[in-house]
Amino acid sequence: MKRYYEKYWTALLAVLCVQLCFPQSSLPVMDEIKACGLGITYDKTSHLIFPSEIRYADLGSELLMAGKAEDAHNVLRVKAAVRDFEQQTNLSVMTIDGHFYSFDVHYDPNPQTLNYSIRKSGSIGSEGALFENLGQSPPLMVETLMQRIYERDKRAVRHIRTRNAGVEFRLKGIYVHEGKYYLHTELRNSNNVPYRIDFLSFKIADRKKARRTAVQQTAILPLRIYRPVDQIKAGGSEHNIYVLDLFTLADGKLLLIEIFEKNGGRQLTLKIKNSDLLKACLLNNP
């Protein structure tokens, strides 16, 4: 019995010494990062969409396959490398803004959800993919802004238009949001002959036609088109939204929007000056 009490007091003194030498306030405080459950399968690919660019991803085991989407900074493709695996594994992701995400991954032969949008808190959200050509503008936001302009169908610009053989091409508005132009155009056909669109182009060219050569023209590719249209019916009209990267024009330059008729000669060209671009209306966040 005496030896029992000796051991008891020895252990108690050891604990007290530890507490005195290492007070609780000096111990590191660790925040728990809660893991989200994720069910994946072998025959289908799941996509995780993060609010910023992925910098690092780690797979818990060889049961998983994962890789970043080619043109999207913040999209990770995940699927099972083995059918019907039973044990649970994990997936860890760190984004370029320093946020860390953890997932407990299990096999689900028929997952109800394949695509997940992740908020910075780690919960499921509604972030959109960030594509190379859209920079930091989520596609959902760009799509919402185009839809807003289309549905309002307001004519904010009245002096930029052209006509050719009963077909009128006009610029209805120039808008700007987060480094992008949103150009609202309209095409009207007052003829009985449908206007079939071959292609539409954007280019920067010299103001003086005599000096305009292929070398002096710079083509611009739209980042997004709201409603691709291939024909304007007889007596009909269509309007559309085009998204371009932000730019300004040097002296003596114009932005040309050219539309060509398929198997026809009714070509139309809108000429936009730098002063028109600088008057672009500011769009608020959706």
Side-chain angles (χ1 to χ4, degrees):
M1 181 66 71
K2 184 178 179 181
R3 289 183 178 179
Y4 172 79
Y5 282 112
E6 288 178 353
K7 292 181 179 179
Y8 173 80
W9 288 112
T10 300
L12 182 61
L13 287 172
V15 172
L16 291 174
C17 288
V18 171
Q19 290 183 342
L20 289 172
C21 295
F22 301 97
Q24 186 174 359
S25 59
S26 65
L27 295 176
V29 177
M30 294 182 291
D31 293 329
E32 179 185 3
I33 299 178
K34 294 184 179 180
C36 294
L38 177 64
I40 64 171
T41 188
Y42 182 83
D43 297 311
K44 298 178 181 179
T45 301
S46 297
H47 291 83
L48 305 180
I49 305 173
F50 295 89
S52 58
E53 181 180 349
I54 298 167
R55 183 167 188 171
Y56 164 86
D58 179 75
L59 306 180
S61 71
E62 295 180 354
L63 299 172
L64 306 179
M65 294 188 300
K68 287 202 300 183
E70 294 179 0
D71 295 327
H73 299 287
N74 64 327
V75 178
L76 186 70
R77 301 189 300 260
V78 186
K79 68 183 304 183
V82 179
R83 290 184 184 272
D84 302 317
F85 65 82
E86 296 182 358
Q87 62 267 45
Q88 183 171 282
T89 184
N90 74 307
L91 168 66
S92 301
V93 176
M94 185 173 69
T95 52
I96 200 168
D97 58 0
H99 285 81
F100 189 88
Y101 305 87
S102 180
F103 302 88
D104 288 331
V105 186
H106 64 275
Y107 191 88
D108 186 344
N110 189 26
Q112 294 184 352
T113 303
L114 289 174
N115 303 314
Y116 299 85
S117 294
I118 315 299
R119 291 199 183 100
K120 289 187 177 181
S121 62
S123 60
I124 302 300
S126 59
E127 301 291 339
L130 303 177
F131 290 89
E132 293 280 357
N133 60 358
L134 289 180
Q136 293 300 309
S137 299
L140 180 60
M141 181 182 68
V142 174
E143 185 73 18
T144 301
L145 291 173
M146 288 194 294
Q147 182 179 1
R148 180 196 296 176
I149 297 170
Y150 186 88
E151 292 179 349
R152 287 174 56 188
D153 194 18
K154 181 180 178 180
R155 190 176 176 186
V157 175
R158 296 183 175 274
H159 66 285
I160 303 177
R161 59 182 179 177
T162 184
R163 294 178 62 89
N164 186 354
V167 180
E168 182 179 49
F169 189 30
R170 64 172 64 170
L171 182 68
K172 301 189 72 172
I174 305 175
Y175 304 88
V176 64
H177 184 271
E178 292 190 355
K180 303 289 182 294
Y181 284 125
Y182 292 74
L183 302 183
H184 185 193
T185 67
E186 183 179 52
L187 194 62
R188 291 178 173 271
N189 181 18
S190 60
N191 289 312
N192 294 325
V193 178
Y195 185 89
R196 295 185 299 165
I197 300 172
D198 190 6
F199 66 93
L200 182 143
S201 69
F202 295 80
K203 63 181 67 173
I204 297 174
D206 286 328
R207 185 189 299 264
K208 294 182 179 180
K209 292 182 180 181
R211 295 178 54 195
R212 205 175 73 191
T213 66
V215 176
Q216 293 168 322
Q217 294 182 353
T218 303
I220 300 176
L221 294 177
L223 304 178
R224 287 290 186 273
I225 301 174
Y226 185 62
R227 286 188 60 185
V229 178
D230 58 5
Q231 179 175 281
I232 311 299
K233 297 180 180 179
S237 66
E238 292 284 352
H239 62 114
N240 212 340
I241 317 297
Y242 300 89
V243 181
L244 307 179
D245 261 327
L246 198 68
F247 62 91
T248 56
L249 298 171
D251 291 341
K253 297 288 185 178
L254 292 171
L255 172 63
L256 305 180
I257 307 178
E258 297 178 316
I259 191 165
F260 295 83
E261 183 181 18
K262 186 175 182 180
N263 297 328
R266 291 180 288 181
Q267 177 182 337
L268 300 123
T269 302
L270 293 178
K271 300 177 181 180
I272 302 170
K273 301 177 183 178
N274 191 57
S275 58
D276 298 316
L277 295 175
L278 296 178
K279 294 176 184 178
C281 299
L282 182 64
L283 289 172
N284 296 322
N285 286 328

